[in-house]
Amino acid sequence: MNQHLSILFPNSISVHMKREDLIHPIVSGNKFRKLKYNLIQAKTENQHTVLTFGGAFSNHIAAVAFAGKEQNFKTIGIIRGEELKNKISENPTLQFAQDCGMQLEFVTREAYRQKTEHGFLENLRTKFGAFYLIPEGGTNELAIKGCEEILTIADAAFDYICCPIGTGGTITGIINSLLPHQKVLGFPALKGEFLKDEIRIFARNDKWEVITEYHFGGYGKVTSELIGFVNQFYKENKIPLDPIYTAKMVFGVMDLIDKDYFREKSKILLIHTGGIQGIQGMNLKLKEKKLLTINFDD
């Protein structure tokens, strides 16, 4: 569903949002797209267990846990941070994953950095038995295949497609499904230029740009300015934004419009990649710091 924003933009620019957050009540947005073909492949391989990785408030962990329950897979989540082991009840994401039946395995941050190494993965197979591996964030070739289905023929009218970037799978899928007149702008949720190299591995054209100025301090980092923007955006448009990914992208696009980045009469499509489940956890952290919280009350 594409939703027109009720904001008046200069230079006759129009902005719509593709509500990928609404395609599934739990496994929403790009997580649905990334898991679709991976779970089909797991069944094809006759695998009964899915193992993946994530942090304390990971949208990916929550999505895999629910999808596994829904499709009768055993799920195992390797969680970054041993100190979280005794704090599951204090963490809404981890509690949800456990309630869905996911087995949580907590490892040190040092061990977690080895998550792609052969020896580390073989040790996991020795401990847990055979499993279908989905990488952190869910990005692999099958995930990109799923993300290539985000754009449809109904989106042909747009000149710019804008999306958040985490691991790079979503933007790569969108890049691969572009029409000749379209360009993708990606807004990373974390610091660093390395994502461009990750995108180039699977991207089939060069009609894209990574905008790196709107990460708000890095992955998982927010400011009171960003939270205020999220609250005001909901008040004006009745669309909830997650502060880790989509909010940073929307903030960036609005700022670029103010700076005349887009040509006159541009038609812009914003991709809402979901992630709303993480807001409860984010608000807990903000309350601890006595900062402004996200509020979607009318």
Side-chain angles (χ1 to χ4, degrees):
M1 180 183 102
N2 292 344
Q3 185 170 343
H4 178 71
L5 302 188
S6 58
I7 306 167
L8 292 176
F9 297 99
N11 298 323
S12 300
I13 290 173
S14 65
V15 181
H16 288 70
M17 177 170 283
K18 195 172 189 71
R19 298 293 305 275
E20 289 283 288
D21 58 312
L22 300 178
I23 60 177
H24 188 282
I26 305 296
V27 190
S28 71
N30 61 347
K31 301 310 174 189
F32 180 94
R33 304 292 187 180
K34 289 180 175 183
L35 288 175
K36 177 180 175 179
Y37 290 108
N38 272 291
L39 295 183
I40 290 173
Q41 183 64 27
K43 290 181 179 179
T44 299
E45 295 179 11
N46 200 30
Q47 297 279 6
H48 304 287
T49 300
V50 172
L51 181 143
T52 195
F53 302 86
F57 299 102
S58 168
N59 296 320
H60 175 66
I61 286 292
V64 171
F66 187 87
K69 176 183 178 182
E70 198 171 51
Q71 299 195 30
N72 298 314
F73 285 104
K74 177 183 178 182
T75 56
I76 300 170
I78 309 301
I79 308 299
R80 180 180 64 247
E82 256 187 336
E83 73 280 0
L84 298 169
K85 185 175 183 178
N86 297 317
K87 298 180 179 180
I88 295 174
S89 62
E90 302 171 23
N91 183 302
T93 299
L94 297 180
Q95 186 64 65
F96 173 81
Q98 188 175 76
D99 290 346
C100 288
M102 176 175 274
Q103 180 179 345
L104 302 177
E105 177 78 5
F106 297 89
V107 300
T108 65
R109 282 163 170 74
E110 181 181 1
Y112 191 86
R113 285 193 286 271
Q114 303 172 44
K115 60 186 177 294
T116 60
E117 296 181 10
H118 178 77
F120 183 73
L121 295 174
E122 285 305 303
N123 287 338
L124 292 177
R125 288 191 171 89
T126 299
K127 181 170 185 175
F128 297 114
F131 56 76
Y132 182 85
L133 175 67
I134 299 179
E136 180 184 40
T139 291
N140 56 18
E141 289 188 65
L142 291 174
I144 291 169
K145 178 181 178 181
C147 290
E148 289 173 358
E149 297 176 352
I150 291 174
L151 295 183
T152 69
I153 192 168
D155 303 318
F158 295 99
D159 305 301
Y160 293 92
I161 314 298
C162 301
C163 75
I165 306 177
T167 54
T170 303
I171 188 173
T172 304
I174 291 172
I175 289 167
N176 292 345
S177 57
L178 285 180
L179 293 173
H181 66 281
Q182 294 177 320
K183 180 178 180 179
V184 179
L185 301 183
F187 295 78
L190 59 166
K191 291 181 181 180
E193 298 284 334
F194 64 94
L195 282 167
K196 295 179 183 178
D197 294 330
E198 297 293 321
I199 294 167
R200 288 189 186 101
I201 294 172
F202 296 108
R204 295 199 289 266
N205 64 66
D206 59 359
K207 297 188 301 179
W208 54 277
E209 181 179 353
V210 174
I211 310 290
T212 59
E213 292 81 20
Y214 301 99
H215 54 67
F216 286 85
Y219 181 73
K221 302 291 181 60
V222 298
T223 65
S224 292
E225 180 185 24
L226 182 65
I227 299 305
F229 174 79
V230 169
N231 289 340
Q232 186 63 29
F233 189 86
Y234 182 80
K235 183 178 180 180
E236 294 176 358
N237 298 282
K238 296 298 180 283
I239 302 175
L241 303 178
D242 87 283
I244 305 301
Y245 296 103
T246 304
K248 294 180 179 181
M249 177 266 295
V250 177
F251 185 100
V253 171
M254 301 303 173
D255 191 51
L256 291 176
I257 291 173
D258 287 341
K259 293 176 178 177
D260 293 328
Y261 174 93
F262 301 96
R263 63 181 180 271
E264 189 176 1
K265 297 183 180 179
S266 291
K267 296 180 179 179
I268 303 169
L269 182 64
L270 311 178
I271 308 298
H272 193 318
T273 56
I276 302 302
Q277 73 82 30
I279 289 176
Q280 188 178 359
M282 175 60 71
N283 273 344
L284 290 175
K285 292 170 65 177
L286 292 170
K287 286 178 182 177
E288 286 176 5
K289 298 177 181 179
K290 297 182 180 179
L291 297 174
L292 180 70
T293 59
I294 297 166
N295 183 0
F296 293 149
D297 292 334
D298 291 327

mmCIF file of all heavy atoms in Angstrom, residues 8-42:
data_model
loop_
_atom_site.group_PDB
_atom_site.id
_atom_site.type_symbol
_atom_site.label_atom_id
_atom_site.label_comp_id
_atom_site.label_asym_id
_atom_site.label_seq_id
_atom_site.Cartn_x
_atom_site.Cartn_y
_atom_site.Cartn_z
ATOM 1 N N LEU A 8 3.002 19.490 2.639
ATOM 2 C CA LEU A 8 3.161 20.263 1.407
ATOM 3 C C LEU A 8 4.647 20.490 1.145
ATOM 4 O O LEU A 8 5.353 21.058 1.970
ATOM 5 C CB LEU A 8 2.441 21.610 1.527
ATOM 6 C CG LEU A 8 0.912 21.557 1.588
ATOM 7 C CD1 LEU A 8 0.348 22.958 1.802
ATOM 8 C CD2 LEU A 8 0.348 20.958 0.301
ATOM 9 N N PHE A 9 5.135 20.023 -0.009
ATOM 10 C CA PHE A 9 6.550 20.116 -0.325
ATOM 11 C C PHE A 9 6.795 21.188 -1.386
ATOM 12 O O PHE A 9 5.949 21.418 -2.260
ATOM 13 C CB PHE A 9 7.066 18.773 -0.832
ATOM 14 C CG PHE A 9 6.984 17.677 0.190
ATOM 15 C CD1 PHE A 9 5.941 16.767 0.158
ATOM 16 C CD2 PHE A 9 7.935 17.572 1.184
ATOM 17 C CE1 PHE A 9 5.846 15.765 1.108
ATOM 18 C CE2 PHE A 9 7.851 16.573 2.134
ATOM 19 C CZ PHE A 9 6.814 15.666 2.107
ATOM 20 N N PRO A 10 7.960 21.832 -1.350
ATOM 21 C CA PRO A 10 8.291 22.848 -2.357
ATOM 22 C C PRO A 10 8.562 22.213 -3.718
ATOM 23 O O PRO A 10 8.761 20.998 -3.832
ATOM 24 C CB PRO A 10 9.558 23.495 -1.792
ATOM 25 C CG PRO A 10 10.183 22.432 -0.931
ATOM 26 C CD PRO A 10 9.035 21.669 -0.353
ATOM 27 N N ASN A 11 8.587 23.057 -4.750
ATOM 28 C CA ASN A 11 8.940 22.633 -6.116
ATOM 29 C C ASN A 11 8.033 21.528 -6.664
ATOM 30 O O ASN A 11 8.460 20.708 -7.481
ATOM 31 C CB ASN A 11 10.398 22.177 -6.177
ATOM 32 C CG ASN A 11 11.356 23.293 -5.817
ATOM 33 O OD1 ASN A 11 11.136 24.446 -6.167
ATOM 34 N ND2 ASN A 11 12.419 22.961 -5.093
ATOM 35 N N SER A 12 6.797 21.484 -6.170
ATOM 36 C CA SER A 12 5.812 20.495 -6.641
ATOM 37 C C SER A 12 6.304 19.056 -6.475
ATOM 38 O O SER A 12 5.940 18.167 -7.250
ATOM 39 C CB SER A 12 5.464 20.764 -8.113
ATOM 40 O OG SER A 12 4.919 22.049 -8.283
ATOM 41 N N ILE A 13 7.125 18.835 -5.475
ATOM 42 C CA ILE A 13 7.602 17.478 -5.182
ATOM 43 C C ILE A 13 6.504 16.709 -4.456
ATOM 44 O O ILE A 13 5.848 17.230 -3.562
ATOM 45 C CB ILE A 13 8.883 17.534 -4.326
ATOM 46 C CG1 ILE A 13 10.048 18.058 -5.167
ATOM 47 C CG2 ILE A 13 9.221 16.169 -3.739
ATOM 48 C CD1 ILE A 13 11.310 18.320 -4.379
ATOM 49 N N SER A 14 6.291 15.456 -4.859
ATOM 50 C CA SER A 14 5.309 14.609 -4.174
ATOM 51 C C SER A 14 6.031 13.443 -3.492
ATOM 52 O O SER A 14 7.012 12.921 -4.017
ATOM 53 C CB SER A 14 4.266 14.080 -5.153
ATOM 54 O OG SER A 14 4.850 13.220 -6.104
ATOM 55 N N VAL A 15 5.541 13.085 -2.320
ATOM 56 C CA VAL A 15 6.171 12.020 -1.536
ATOM 57 C C VAL A 15 5.109 11.025 -1.083
ATOM 58 O O VAL A 15 4.085 11.412 -0.512
ATOM 59 C CB VAL A 15 6.921 12.584 -0.311
ATOM 60 C CG1 VAL A 15 7.595 11.458 0.467
ATOM 61 C CG2 VAL A 15 7.955 13.626 -0.732
ATOM 62 N N HIS A 16 5.350 9.771 -1.368
ATOM 63 C CA HIS A 16 4.497 8.678 -0.896
ATOM 64 C C HIS A 16 5.336 7.708 -0.078
ATOM 65 O O HIS A 16 6.560 7.665 -0.217
ATOM 66 C CB HIS A 16 3.872 7.932 -2.084
ATOM 67 C CG HIS A 16 2.801 8.694 -2.792
ATOM 68 N ND1 HIS A 16 3.059 9.809 -3.563
ATOM 69 C CD2 HIS A 16 1.449 8.486 -2.855
ATOM 70 C CE1 HIS A 16 1.919 10.265 -4.064
ATOM 71 N NE2 HIS A 16 0.933 9.485 -3.661
ATOM 72 N N MET A 17 4.661 6.939 0.745
ATOM 73 C CA MET A 17 5.351 5.914 1.532
ATOM 74 C C MET A 17 4.757 4.549 1.222
ATOM 75 O O MET A 17 3.524 4.367 1.252
ATOM 76 C CB MET A 17 5.240 6.199 3.030
ATOM 77 C CG MET A 17 5.890 5.127 3.906
ATOM 78 S SD MET A 17 6.005 5.639 5.633
ATOM 79 C CE MET A 17 7.396 6.773 5.550
ATOM 80 N N LYS A 18 5.607 3.591 0.912
ATOM 81 C CA LYS A 18 5.169 2.217 0.693
ATOM 82 C C LYS A 18 5.158 1.520 2.048
ATOM 83 O O LYS A 18 6.215 1.322 2.672
ATOM 84 C CB LYS A 18 6.108 1.493 -0.279
ATOM 85 C CG LYS A 18 5.523 0.194 -0.824
ATOM 86 C CD LYS A 18 6.405 -0.363 -1.921
ATOM 87 C CE LYS A 18 5.735 -1.540 -2.620
ATOM 88 N NZ LYS A 18 4.585 -1.140 -3.458
ATOM 89 N N ARG A 19 3.976 1.116 2.493
ATOM 90 C CA ARG A 19 3.793 0.605 3.846
ATOM 91 C C ARG A 19 4.120 -0.893 3.930
ATOM 92 O O ARG A 19 3.254 -1.740 4.174
ATOM 93 C CB ARG A 19 2.370 0.897 4.320
ATOM 94 C CG ARG A 19 2.010 2.364 4.418
ATOM 95 C CD ARG A 19 2.788 3.081 5.514
ATOM 96 N NE ARG A 19 2.656 2.452 6.817
ATOM 97 C CZ ARG A 19 1.645 2.691 7.673
ATOM 98 N NH1 ARG A 19 0.699 3.550 7.350
ATOM 99 N NH2 ARG A 19 1.604 2.081 8.844
ATOM 100 N N GLU A 20 5.392 -1.202 3.760
ATOM 101 C CA GLU A 20 5.835 -2.593 3.928
ATOM 102 C C GLU A 20 5.654 -3.079 5.357
ATOM 103 O O GLU A 20 5.638 -4.282 5.616
ATOM 104 C CB GLU A 20 7.301 -2.725 3.504
ATOM 105 C CG GLU A 20 7.556 -2.611 2.018
ATOM 106 C CD GLU A 20 7.186 -3.888 1.280
ATOM 107 O OE1 GLU A 20 7.901 -4.891 1.419
ATOM 108 O OE2 GLU A 20 6.168 -3.877 0.567
ATOM 109 N N ASP A 21 5.523 -2.144 6.275
ATOM 110 C CA ASP A 21 5.299 -2.521 7.678
ATOM 111 C C ASP A 21 3.946 -3.178 7.886
ATOM 112 O O ASP A 21 3.712 -3.793 8.937
ATOM 113 C CB ASP A 21 5.425 -1.302 8.591
ATOM 114 C CG ASP A 21 4.456 -0.180 8.218
ATOM 115 O OD1 ASP A 21 4.375 0.167 7.019
ATOM 116 O OD2 ASP A 21 3.785 0.357 9.124
ATOM 117 N N LEU A 22 3.061 -3.091 6.899
ATOM 118 C CA LEU A 22 1.705 -3.630 7.045
ATOM 119 C C LEU A 22 1.499 -4.979 6.360
ATOM 120 O O LEU A 22 0.394 -5.507 6.390
ATOM 121 C CB LEU A 22 0.685 -2.624 6.484
ATOM 122 C CG LEU A 22 0.654 -1.239 7.140
ATOM 123 C CD1 LEU A 22 -0.375 -0.347 6.455
ATOM 124 C CD2 LEU A 22 0.354 -1.349 8.635
ATOM 125 N N ILE A 23 2.563 -5.552 5.758
ATOM 126 C CA ILE A 23 2.335 -6.775 4.985
ATOM 127 C C ILE A 23 2.162 -8.012 5.862
ATOM 128 O O ILE A 23 1.686 -9.037 5.394
ATOM 129 C CB ILE A 23 3.450 -7.013 3.943
ATOM 130 C CG1 ILE A 23 4.820 -7.159 4.611
ATOM 131 C CG2 ILE A 23 3.473 -5.897 2.920
ATOM 132 C CD1 ILE A 23 5.934 -7.466 3.618
ATOM 133 N N HIS A 24 2.550 -7.931 7.123
ATOM 134 C CA HIS A 24 2.335 -9.031 8.067
ATOM 135 C C HIS A 24 2.290 -8.419 9.463
ATOM 136 O O HIS A 24 3.054 -7.503 9.757
ATOM 137 C CB HIS A 24 3.474 -10.060 7.965
ATOM 138 C CG HIS A 24 3.243 -11.316 8.746
ATOM 139 N ND1 HIS A 24 3.427 -11.385 10.117
ATOM 140 C CD2 HIS A 24 2.859 -12.552 8.356
ATOM 141 C CE1 HIS A 24 3.169 -12.612 10.529
ATOM 142 N NE2 HIS A 24 2.812 -13.334 9.491
ATOM 143 N N PRO A 25 1.408 -8.900 10.337
ATOM 144 C CA PRO A 25 1.274 -8.272 11.661
ATOM 145 C C PRO A 25 2.512 -8.397 12.543
ATOM 146 O O PRO A 25 2.724 -7.576 13.443
ATOM 147 C CB PRO A 25 0.075 -9.014 12.284
ATOM 148 C CG PRO A 25 -0.037 -10.282 11.511
ATOM 149 C CD PRO A 25 0.419 -9.971 10.128
ATOM 150 N N ILE A 26 3.332 -9.407 12.334
ATOM 151 C CA ILE A 26 4.529 -9.612 13.154
ATOM 152 C C ILE A 26 5.800 -9.580 12.313
ATOM 153 O O ILE A 26 6.731 -8.822 12.580
ATOM 154 C CB ILE A 26 4.470 -10.959 13.927
ATOM 155 C CG1 ILE A 26 3.190 -11.039 14.764
ATOM 156 C CG2 ILE A 26 5.719 -11.114 14.800
ATOM 157 C CD1 ILE A 26 3.090 -10.023 15.865
ATOM 158 N N VAL A 27 5.837 -10.409 11.259
ATOM 159 C CA VAL A 27 7.016 -10.486 10.390
ATOM 160 C C VAL A 27 6.863 -9.414 9.316
ATOM 161 O O VAL A 27 6.565 -9.692 8.169
ATOM 162 C CB VAL A 27 7.147 -11.892 9.766
ATOM 163 C CG1 VAL A 27 8.497 -12.046 9.058
ATOM 164 C CG2 VAL A 27 6.991 -12.973 10.826
ATOM 165 N N SER A 28 7.085 -8.165 9.701
ATOM 166 C CA SER A 28 6.717 -7.073 8.812
ATOM 167 C C SER A 28 7.893 -6.570 7.990
ATOM 168 O O SER A 28 9.051 -6.865 8.264
ATOM 169 C CB SER A 28 6.127 -5.907 9.621
ATOM 170 O OG SER A 28 7.140 -5.266 10.378
ATOM 171 N N GLY A 29 7.555 -5.807 6.964
ATOM 172 C CA GLY A 29 8.561 -5.103 6.182
ATOM 173 C C GLY A 29 9.577 -5.996 5.517
ATOM 174 O O GLY A 29 9.265 -7.072 5.007
ATOM 175 N N ASN A 30 10.830 -5.544 5.544
ATOM 176 C CA ASN A 30 11.871 -6.290 4.829
ATOM 177 C C ASN A 30 12.169 -7.637 5.459
ATOM 178 O O ASN A 30 12.731 -8.521 4.804
ATOM 179 C CB ASN A 30 13.152 -5.452 4.708
ATOM 180 C CG ASN A 30 13.753 -5.072 6.043
ATOM 181 O OD1 ASN A 30 13.128 -5.205 7.091
ATOM 182 N ND2 ASN A 30 14.977 -4.573 6.001
ATOM 183 N N LYS A 31 11.799 -7.849 6.714
ATOM 184 C CA LYS A 31 12.027 -9.164 7.340
ATOM 185 C C LYS A 31 11.165 -10.231 6.660
ATOM 186 O O LYS A 31 11.610 -11.358 6.448
ATOM 187 C CB LYS A 31 11.739 -9.106 8.838
ATOM 188 C CG LYS A 31 12.600 -8.098 9.591
ATOM 189 C CD LYS A 31 14.074 -8.248 9.273
ATOM 190 C CE LYS A 31 14.909 -7.157 9.916
ATOM 191 N NZ LYS A 31 16.309 -7.157 9.445
ATOM 192 N N PHE A 32 9.945 -9.874 6.325
ATOM 193 C CA PHE A 32 9.078 -10.788 5.579
ATOM 194 C C PHE A 32 9.709 -11.126 4.233
ATOM 195 O O PHE A 32 9.770 -12.297 3.829
ATOM 196 C CB PHE A 32 7.706 -10.139 5.374
ATOM 197 C CG PHE A 32 6.735 -10.993 4.616
ATOM 198 C CD1 PHE A 32 5.847 -11.809 5.290
ATOM 199 C CD2 PHE A 32 6.691 -10.973 3.226
ATOM 200 C CE1 PHE A 32 4.934 -12.599 4.596
ATOM 201 C CE2 PHE A 32 5.797 -11.751 2.520
ATOM 202 C CZ PHE A 32 4.918 -12.579 3.205
ATOM 203 N N ARG A 33 10.176 -10.104 3.537
ATOM 204 C CA ARG A 33 10.783 -10.315 2.219
ATOM 205 C C ARG A 33 12.034 -11.194 2.314
ATOM 206 O O ARG A 33 12.248 -12.085 1.487
ATOM 207 C CB ARG A 33 11.163 -8.961 1.602
ATOM 208 C CG ARG A 33 10.025 -7.961 1.483
ATOM 209 C CD ARG A 33 8.987 -8.391 0.478
ATOM 210 N NE ARG A 33 7.993 -7.336 0.261
ATOM 211 C CZ ARG A 33 6.976 -7.443 -0.574
ATOM 212 N NH1 ARG A 33 6.801 -8.547 -1.278
ATOM 213 N NH2 ARG A 33 6.115 -6.446 -0.722
ATOM 214 N N LYS A 34 12.875 -10.924 3.300
ATOM 215 C CA LYS A 34 14.141 -11.650 3.416
ATOM 216 C C LYS A 34 13.941 -13.112 3.822
ATOM 217 O O LYS A 34 14.707 -13.990 3.416
ATOM 218 C CB LYS A 34 15.045 -10.958 4.435
ATOM 219 C CG LYS A 34 15.597 -9.625 3.962
ATOM 220 C CD LYS A 34 16.498 -9.006 5.037
ATOM 221 C CE LYS A 34 17.153 -7.727 4.539
ATOM 222 N NZ LYS A 34 18.073 -7.160 5.532
ATOM 223 N N LEU A 35 12.936 -13.364 4.621
ATOM 224 C CA LEU A 35 12.720 -14.731 5.107
ATOM 225 C C LEU A 35 11.960 -15.604 4.104
ATOM 226 O O LEU A 35 12.087 -16.834 4.146
ATOM 227 C CB LEU A 35 11.954 -14.702 6.432
ATOM 228 C CG LEU A 35 12.743 -14.210 7.648
ATOM 229 C CD1 LEU A 35 11.843 -14.121 8.868
ATOM 230 C CD2 LEU A 35 13.930 -15.122 7.931
ATOM 231 N N LYS A 36 11.200 -15.014 3.234
ATOM 232 C CA LYS A 36 10.309 -15.766 2.339
ATOM 233 C C LYS A 36 11.027 -16.918 1.636
ATOM 234 O O LYS A 36 10.653 -18.094 1.795
ATOM 235 C CB LYS A 36 9.692 -14.819 1.306
ATOM 236 C CG LYS A 36 8.804 -15.524 0.287
ATOM 237 C CD LYS A 36 8.216 -14.524 -0.713
ATOM 238 C CE LYS A 36 7.420 -15.232 -1.798
ATOM 239 N NZ LYS A 36 6.829 -14.266 -2.766
ATOM 240 N N TYR A 37 12.052 -16.604 0.854
ATOM 241 C CA TYR A 37 12.711 -17.655 0.067
ATOM 242 C C TYR A 37 13.706 -18.465 0.895
ATOM 243 O O TYR A 37 13.995 -19.617 0.558
ATOM 244 C CB TYR A 37 13.385 -17.037 -1.159
ATOM 245 C CG TYR A 37 12.378 -16.549 -2.174
ATOM 246 C CD1 TYR A 37 12.164 -15.189 -2.370
ATOM 247 C CD2 TYR A 37 11.597 -17.448 -2.897
ATOM 248 C CE1 TYR A 37 11.225 -14.736 -3.294
ATOM 249 C CE2 TYR A 37 10.648 -17.012 -3.810
ATOM 250 C CZ TYR A 37 10.468 -15.657 -4.006
ATOM 251 O OH TYR A 37 9.514 -15.219 -4.906
ATOM 252 N N ASN A 38 14.195 -17.890 1.991
ATOM 253 C CA ASN A 38 15.067 -18.668 2.860
ATOM 254 C C ASN A 38 14.316 -19.813 3.539
ATOM 255 O O ASN A 38 14.829 -20.929 3.636
ATOM 256 C CB ASN A 38 15.714 -17.756 3.912
ATOM 257 C CG ASN A 38 17.006 -17.145 3.429
ATOM 258 O OD1 ASN A 38 18.007 -17.841 3.261
ATOM 259 N ND2 ASN A 38 16.989 -15.856 3.167
ATOM 260 N N LEU A 39 13.103 -19.548 3.970
ATOM 261 C CA LEU A 39 12.332 -20.612 4.619
ATOM 262 C C LEU A 39 11.846 -21.648 3.604
ATOM 263 O O LEU A 39 11.756 -22.843 3.919
ATOM 264 C CB LEU A 39 11.161 -20.010 5.395
ATOM 265 C CG LEU A 39 11.569 -19.115 6.577
ATOM 266 C CD1 LEU A 39 10.348 -18.613 7.324
ATOM 267 C CD2 LEU A 39 12.513 -19.838 7.533
ATOM 268 N N ILE A 40 11.572 -21.215 2.393
ATOM 269 C CA ILE A 40 11.249 -22.169 1.328
ATOM 270 C C ILE A 40 12.445 -23.076 1.071
ATOM 271 O O ILE A 40 12.310 -24.303 0.935
ATOM 272 C CB ILE A 40 10.839 -21.426 0.039
ATOM 273 C CG1 ILE A 40 9.466 -20.751 0.224
ATOM 274 C CG2 ILE A 40 10.800 -22.385 -1.160
ATOM 275 C CD1 ILE A 40 9.064 -19.857 -0.921
ATOM 276 N N GLN A 41 13.644 -22.478 1.039
ATOM 277 C CA GLN A 41 14.857 -23.261 0.820
ATOM 278 C C GLN A 41 15.123 -24.219 1.965
ATOM 279 O O GLN A 41 15.537 -25.372 1.753
ATOM 280 C CB GLN A 41 16.058 -22.328 0.634
ATOM 281 C CG GLN A 41 17.375 -23.027 0.328
ATOM 282 C CD GLN A 41 17.349 -23.776 -0.993
ATOM 283 O OE1 GLN A 41 16.599 -23.421 -1.901
ATOM 284 N NE2 GLN A 41 18.143 -24.831 -1.099
ATOM 285 N N ALA A 42 14.882 -23.782 3.185
ATOM 286 C CA ALA A 42 15.077 -24.657 4.345
ATOM 287 C C ALA A 42 14.187 -25.895 4.259
ATOM 288 O O ALA A 42 14.619 -27.021 4.549
ATOM 289 C CB ALA A 42 14.796 -23.892 5.636
#
